[in-house]
């Protein structure tokens, strides 16, 4: 982390790697990462990455941080059912992946993107914390009411006005009802 690395190609042959921390570099792509199937923790935050399709094969990932990149599509994460922590904040993502309800996802931060719905999170059995601040297109949190262990939802700076479906279940919701 915190170097001027422009490629991670030399490490893609190290198929036993379980953790990679390459935050705050000059990375633009992660071609070859489909070979790193043993990866559990990956931090690629604060780079210039525009495509994470190669992560679809990294089915052992539990922690993924890709905040502050140039991502618009994270659909490659759909089959990553071991993922517990995901941060893709400060990108250009327009749509959430449709995870299985058995997905291990506990914490998700997609703040400062271009999302308009939380429906793909509906029924996630392990979801505790949802941070989706400043996704101006989001107008409802009702889909999250079916997440049985939800604790906190942040949707400040969105179009959400009615949070009763969550507060009636003692979920803490941070939002701005006046906008």
């Amino acid at each position: 982390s915190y170097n001027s690395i422009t490629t991670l190609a030399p490490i893609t042959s190290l198929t036993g790697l379980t953790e990679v921390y390459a935050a705050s570099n000059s990375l633009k792509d992660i071609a070859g990462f489909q070979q790193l199937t043993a990866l559990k923790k990956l931090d690629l935050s604060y780079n210039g990455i525009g495509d994470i399709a190669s992560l679809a094969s990294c089915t052992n990932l539990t922690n993924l941080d890709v905040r502050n990149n140039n991502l618009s599509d994270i659909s490659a994460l759909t089959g990553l059912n071991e993922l517990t922590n995901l941060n893709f904040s400060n990108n250009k993502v327009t749509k959430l992946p449709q995870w299985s309800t058995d997905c291990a996802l506990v914490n998700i931060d997609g703040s400062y993107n271009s999302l308009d719905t939380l429906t793909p999170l509906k029924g996630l059995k392990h979801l505790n914390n949802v941070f989706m601040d400043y996704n101006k297109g989001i107008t409802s949190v009702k889909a999250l009411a079916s997440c049985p262990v939800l604790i906190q939802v942040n949707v400040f700076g969105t179009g959400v006005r009615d949070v009763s479906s969550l507060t009636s279940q003692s979920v803490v919701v941070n939002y701005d009802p006046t906008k």
Side-chain angles (χ1 to χ4, degrees), residues 8-9 11-17 20 29-40 42 44 51-61 76-77 80:
L8 293 175
I11 69 166
T12 59
S13 62
L14 304 173
T15 57
L17 276 177
V20 173
D29 70 69
I30 52 171
F33 263 63
Q34 64 273 13
Q35 299 173 76
L36 300 179
T37 57
L39 270 181
K40 290 186 180 288
L42 179 59
L44 298 170
D51 183 1
I52 58 170
S54 62
L55 296 182
S57 300
C58 299
T59 56
N60 289 307
L61 267 178
L77 307 180
L80 302 186

Side-chain angles (χ1 to χ4, degrees), residues 54-88:
S54 62
L55 296 182
S57 300
C58 299
T59 56
N60 289 307
L61 267 178
T62 59
N63 294 280
L64 178 60
D65 189 344
V66 289
R67 68 186 141 161
N68 293 84
N69 276 286
N70 291 319
L71 300 173
S72 59
D73 180 6
I74 59 169
S75 61
L77 307 180
T78 299
L80 302 186
N81 289 326
E82 300 302 315
L83 199 58
T84 57
N85 299 293
L86 172 61
N87 188 337
F88 64 96

